[in-house]
Amino acid sequence: MKARLLTIAAISLIGLSSCKKDNIAAGSGLSFQLKAANPTSIVARAMATVTWQSGFVNANLIKFEAKQAGNEVEFKSNVQRHIDLFALPTDIGNISIPAGNYDETEFKIFIAPNSGEPAFQLQGTIDNTSVVFKVDNSNLIKAEQHQATLSGSNIALTTLDLAGLTQGISAADFSAATQTNGTIVISSSSNVNLYNAILNNVSRLGKAEVEIHHP
């Protein structure tokens, strides 16, 4: 099995109002995977350190969008998967796509609350204080690649680099945060300033990678 690694330049987390579409099937296979990396980040020039220890997303749809020979194409599949971001990557789902060359490719993972869990959650500590970041509404994790060649078995692995999650946030921001039973809960309804700052940083979480496997 020969593998080629392509680097995707941008990842973003985009709020959604709703999304409900049917599966589209065709020839060659593309598997989607997601993981986290670099869980420790420095806040305000080493005045504080955030270490993320666990986290997950709940995925409900995966989609591949691109242009081929100047025409826009779209392939998608409904899924329902709880993804442990700190475990070894496993398949979120698979899409059947015709083999070939694609331009302006986008790899999208739609996430939503499920079974009482938020769409996206990270849990860790800032120094000795527990901290939880959670996204309770439907969202989209998107990665982009200028070109991609698909043939045989393909794996789209998105890597979320958590080291940049606290970019632009100071230790004083965390010190001023409201605690709930000794934990800094960061959500759309708690410590909203921190929530908005971290949510904005998701678009700069590093890189996504697409591993293209050929027989």
Side-chain angles (χ1 to χ4, degrees):
M1 184 76 71
K2 181 181 179 182
R4 182 174 58 174
L5 185 65
L6 303 179
T7 299
I8 296 175
I11 300 174
S12 58
L13 187 64
I14 304 171
L16 301 175
S17 57
S18 65
C19 181
K20 184 178 181 181
K21 296 184 179 180
D22 296 328
N23 297 346
I24 298 177
S28 186
L30 176 66
S31 298
F32 280 62
Q33 296 182 354
L34 181 65
K35 71 174 183 178
N38 301 321
T40 299
S41 56
I42 305 300
V43 181
R45 298 182 181 179
M47 293 177 62
T49 302
V50 175
T51 301
W52 301 108
Q53 298 163 333
S54 63
F56 63 83
V57 301
N58 282 304
N60 65 356
L61 179 74
I62 54 176
K63 183 188 293 186
F64 174 82
E65 296 179 358
K67 287 186 178 180
Q68 189 176 45
N71 298 316
E72 294 184 358
V73 296
E74 176 184 292
F75 303 93
K76 54 189 176 289
S77 178
N78 293 305
V79 297
Q80 196 63 66
R81 290 293 308 276
H82 173 100
I83 306 301
D84 185 342
L85 295 174
F86 288 71
L88 292 175
T90 58
D91 287 351
I92 300 173
N94 298 274
I95 304 176
S96 187
I97 301 174
N101 298 318
Y102 294 88
D103 300 314
E104 300 179 28
T105 57
E106 295 184 352
F107 302 83
K108 298 180 177 181
I109 302 171
F110 293 78
I111 60 176
N114 184 50
S115 299
E117 291 183 334
F120 177 25
Q121 179 170 299
L122 292 170
Q123 187 167 350
T125 60
I126 177 165
D127 294 335
N128 295 318
T129 302
S130 297
V131 58
V132 174
F133 169 72
K134 58 182 178 178
V135 178
D136 288 313
N137 58 315
S138 298
N139 275 269
L140 165 65
I141 297 173
K142 182 178 74 172
E144 299 177 348
Q145 170 69 40
H146 179 60
Q147 291 181 326
T149 299
L150 303 180
S151 176
S153 177
N154 312 282
I155 299 176
L157 173 61
T158 299
T159 302
L160 303 180
D161 187 347
L162 303 183
L165 205 63
T166 57
Q167 182 177 340
I169 302 174
S170 70
D173 293 329
F174 279 100
S175 296
T178 300
Q179 295 188 20
T180 302
N181 297 323
T183 297
I184 299 174
V185 178
I186 303 171
S187 70
S188 59
S189 60
S190 177
N191 296 304
V192 178
N193 60 323
L194 289 173
Y195 175 78
N196 289 331
I198 292 176
L199 201 61
N200 287 335
N201 284 334
V202 176
S203 64
R204 297 184 291 273
L205 282 179
K207 66 179 181 179
E209 297 174 343
V210 178
E211 299 179 6
I212 306 299
H213 296 270
H214 300 287

